[in-house]
Amino acid sequence: MKMRLSPQTLQILDAFLQDPTDWKYGYDLSRNTGLRSGTLYPILMRLADRKLLDTTWEAAEMGKPPRHLYRLTPDGLQFVRESQISRLTEGMRRPAWSEVKN
Amino acid sequence: MPAARRLAIRVLRAVARHAPDECRDWANAMLRELDFIEGDWAALFWAMGSTTAIFRYSSCGLKAWCKKYSGYKEELTMKDLGKEIAGLLLGVAMAIALAFCAFGLLQVSLHFFPVLEFGGVPWAAWVIVFAIPETIFIVGAVKLWQKMRPMALGILLSAIIFATHFVMHLVSHWNG
């Protein structure tokens, strides 16, 4: 799957990877990544559109409105791991100019 | 409840109520999160950001729909949409600046050459204020159409509004 991975998207994906099976709240993701809602939600929406993110409403409790929850789908998990590997190999292929200069 | 938080809740409730079906769930999700944000100003900023997110998502959906039905296949991203809106606004701003320049040029011309305003029919004024800018708008829009289409659209839109204004001005002031 082809998708542009901005630094903010990578931050969010990394936050999901910390505990991939856990459902996460939007505000918690915002706090963990330091991203504002105007940046966070468009990325979540795009990930959900591409079936990389599962969304659900938590079970309602008495006097407490339900919250929206997010988790990577198996496809999403695979995509993140593949992109991590490609990032790593890309980093290894890139020449270390600073070392050459020194 | 402090005013900032009240405003945040009102804004997000309105957004959730008026959001298109495909993003109403998202708007409600953002609204629910408000209860868990400690600061009132933080809640207001959350609401503002969320409103922007919903607006951008809705406009992307609308644009994708337009492209689908117009046969335009290029993939759309939110950043592209922002760039296109900026290009359009820049085109409009350039057209307005040019119109003001033309008006200024007219004032200067009439000051130095009062003979230009002859016979009650200000042909010179029409040429300077309308014909020259309109020609520049059209030529500019045609030149920019391939490479900077949003800007060309902005200029063209301004040209149409400007021409409509000119015609209405003529109709309302024509007495002979």
Side-chain angles (χ1 to χ4, degrees), chain A residues 85-95:
Chain A
I85 291 168
S86 68
R87 264 190 288 161
L88 276 175
T89 51
E90 207 171 282
M92 283 163 70
R93 260 190 250 131
R94 198 174 296 150

Side-chain angles (χ1 to χ4, degrees), chain A residues 4 25-27 30-31 37-38 40-42 44-45 48-50 55 57 65-68 70, chain B residues 25-26 28-30 32-33 35-38 45-46 49-50 53-54 56-57 75 77-79:
Chain A
R4 190 172 50 185
Y25 297 116
Y27 183 52
S30 167
R31 275 196 308 190
S37 59
L40 172 75
Y41 278 101
L44 293 180
M45 289 166 171
D49 279 350
R50 290 170 195 217
T55 64
W57 287 97
R67 290 171 82 182
H68 214 207
Y70 313 100
Chain B
D25 251 12
W26 287 102
N28 279 319
M30 295 164 191
R32 295 277 178 267
E33 293 302 304
D35 295 341
F36 300 89
I37 300 174
E38 293 91 9
F45 286 128
W46 176 270
S50 303
I54 290 291
R56 286 168 70 189
Y57 188 76
E75 192 181 0
T77 63
M78 291 186 185
K79 210 169 185 176

Side-chain angles (χ1 to χ4, degrees), chain A residues 16 20 23 47-48 50-55 70-80:
Chain A
F16 277 117
W23 289 97
L47 291 172
R50 290 170 195 217
K51 314 274 183 233
L52 299 176
L53 192 73
D54 251 345
T55 64
Y70 313 100
R71 184 173 73 176
L72 287 175
T73 60
D75 280 352
L77 210 53
Q78 194 188 338
F79 170 77
V80 176

Side-chain angles (χ1 to χ4, degrees), chain A residues 9-68:
Chain A
T9 309
L10 290 172
Q11 263 180 288
I12 293 172
L13 292 176
D14 285 345
F16 277 117
L17 266 191
Q18 282 166 11
D19 201 346
T21 53
D22 251 16
W23 289 97
K24 290 181 168 53
Y25 297 116
Y27 183 52
D28 291 350
L29 281 169
S30 167
R31 275 196 308 190
N32 293 341
T33 56
L35 297 174
R36 292 167 188 273
S37 59
T39 309
L40 172 75
Y41 278 101
I43 295 171
L44 293 180
M45 289 166 171
R46 208 161 52 221
L47 291 172
D49 279 350
R50 290 170 195 217
K51 314 274 183 233
L52 299 176
L53 192 73
D54 251 345
T55 64
T56 188
W57 287 97
E58 73 181 354
E61 286 175 33
M62 281 289 284
K64 189 181 154 197
R67 290 171 82 182
H68 214 207

